């Protein structure tokens, strides 16, 4: 039979052999303290994973930045320049369609950081990538659709420019007393205005411009008629009608400018704006990865 003294001696002997932690279920010491070489190797691997994640996200940023640059370039062509804006939007869409591999690479790199960082104390909080392949495909499709709309708005601008040119030709002919040239320019201007009918519902201020243009063209047509007839009184009345029409010219020009600006803004505020927001979020994700500071002394077991 073992007495109390002998039992205590046996217990102390067991603790000496197995260790207090083993006997009473205590936790093992930190792996970095227990196995410094292993912890150093783990820290090196984690550091390399962070560098790889930064590079992968940077490549994705570059891809999205290329798409955004083309989209913004296309939006700018709506109100300025002669190049078709839809070509730039198509290029932006293609860049988004090619964003799949960079997205996959960035996601895999973040997963590797998460895997290696999970053993740290505390674990590394890995940011989520704010885009997937489906997002890229959706934005690509939206950019192509925006290009179609942009081309329509650009054609509207070109058509309105052409109508103004016809007006100038008619005015020049009226100043020289050439009724046939006035009539030809007026007919061309009226035909051009007919193309704007489909926009009246979506661009209300455009009707202000088309109405003012019609009044000016009608007055010039009256001048042409009076010149042909040689009726001085009719010619004076036609000139008076033109003078009245010019009083609304400034208001009409503002209506045209507002209509085109609204149409362009609707394009730039759609897919390009969504892409800009997404690019900023990817940049935040990259910054979060770059902010991780490794402390080898707190590494756990990989």
């Amino acid at each position: 039979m073992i007495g109390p003294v002998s039992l205590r001696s046996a217990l102390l002997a067991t603790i000496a052999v197995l260790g207090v932690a083993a006997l009473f279920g205590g936790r093992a010491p930190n792996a970095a303290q227990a196995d410094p070489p292993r912890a150093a190797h783990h820290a090196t691997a984690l550091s390399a994973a962070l560098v790889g994640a930064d590079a992968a996200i940077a490549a994705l940023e570059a891809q999205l930045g290329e798409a955004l640059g083309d989209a913004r370039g296309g939006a700018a062509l709506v109100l300025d320049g002669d190049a078709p804006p839809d070509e730039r939007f198509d290029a932006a869409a293609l860049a988004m369609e090619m964003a799949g591999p960079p997205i996959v690479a960035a996601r895999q790199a973040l997963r590797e950081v998460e895997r290696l960082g999970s053993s740290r104390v505390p674990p590394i909080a890995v940011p989520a990538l704010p885009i997937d392949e489906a997002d890229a495909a959706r934005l690509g499709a939206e950019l192509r659709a925006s290009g179609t709309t942009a081309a329509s708005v650009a054609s509207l601008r070109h058509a309105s420019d052409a109508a103004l040119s016809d007006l100038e030709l008619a005015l020049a002919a009226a100043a020289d007393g050439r009724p046939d040239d006035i009539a030809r320019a007026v007919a061309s201007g009226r035909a051009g205005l007919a193309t704007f009918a489909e926009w009246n519902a979506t661009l209300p201020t455009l009707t202000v411009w088309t109405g003012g243009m019609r009044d000016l063209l009608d007055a010039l047509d009256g001048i042409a008629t009076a010149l042909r007839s040689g009726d001085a009184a009719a010619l004076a009345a036609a000139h008076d009608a033109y003078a009245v029409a010019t009083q609304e010219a400034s208001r009409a020009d503002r209506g045209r400018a507002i209509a085109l600006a609204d149409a362009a803004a609707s394009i730039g505020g759609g897919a390009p704006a969504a892409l800009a927001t997404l690019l900023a979020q990817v940049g935040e994700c990259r910054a979060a990865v770059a902010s991780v500071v490794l402390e080898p002394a707190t590494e756990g077991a990989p």
Side-chain angles (χ1 to χ4, degrees):
M1 180 175 178
I2 301 178
V5 174
S6 300
L7 180 60
R8 182 171 181 273
S9 299
L11 179 60
L12 290 174
T14 301
I15 292 174
V17 173
L18 299 179
V20 174
L23 185 62
F24 293 102
R27 289 185 295 180
N30 185 281
Q33 299 170 347
D35 191 351
R38 184 184 186 191
H41 174 74
H42 179 260
T44 299
L46 180 54
S47 178
L50 286 166
V51 171
D54 180 78
I57 299 173
L60 177 57
E61 273 189 306
Q63 187 73 22
L64 298 180
E66 178 183 346
L68 182 59
D70 281 324
R72 285 176 169 168
L77 287 171
V78 172
L79 295 180
D80 188 31
D82 296 326
D86 53 329
E87 293 181 1
R88 294 294 300 274
F89 276 98
D90 285 345
L94 180 60
M96 289 306 301
E97 291 164 359
M98 297 175 63
I103 290 171
V104 171
R107 186 187 302 120
Q108 290 176 341
L110 287 171
R111 284 175 178 168
E112 180 65 5
V113 171
E114 183 177 27
R115 183 184 73 82
L116 293 170
S118 63
S119 59
R120 284 170 55 87
V121 181
I124 291 178
V126 180
L129 196 65
I131 181 175
D132 58 24
E133 297 93 314
D135 294 327
R138 175 181 52 78
L139 267 175
E142 290 178 1
L143 287 167
R144 287 194 188 279
S146 295
T148 300
T149 303
S152 296
V153 177
S155 68
L156 176 66
R157 173 174 62 87
H158 291 310
S160 63
D161 288 343
L164 289 171
S165 295
D166 289 330
L167 178 63
E168 291 176 358
L169 291 174
L171 281 171
D176 294 338
R178 294 180 279 112
D180 291 343
D181 290 339
I182 295 174
R184 277 192 290 271
V186 167
S188 178
R190 284 172 172 167
L193 291 180
T195 64
F196 303 127
E198 63 181 287
W199 291 93
N200 289 339
T202 54
L203 300 174
T205 59
L206 187 64
T207 60
V208 177
W209 179 75
T210 54
M213 283 291 292
R214 287 193 183 93
D215 290 342
L216 290 170
L217 292 172
D218 288 346
L220 286 166
D221 194 33
I223 292 174
T225 301
L227 285 172
R228 287 196 186 98
S229 67
D231 186 336
L235 182 59
H239 278 291
D240 288 342
Y242 182 80
V244 171
T246 58
Q247 294 176 4
E248 293 294 317
S250 295
R251 180 169 175 266
D253 285 341
R254 287 195 299 272
R256 170 181 179 265
I258 292 172
L260 292 175
D262 286 347
S266 68
I267 297 168
L275 180 54
T277 298
L278 184 59
L279 181 58
Q281 292 172 343
V282 171
E284 292 171 359
C285 178
R286 184 182 178 192
V289 170
S291 69
V292 175
V293 179
L294 293 182
E295 298 178 4
T298 62
E299 297 290 342

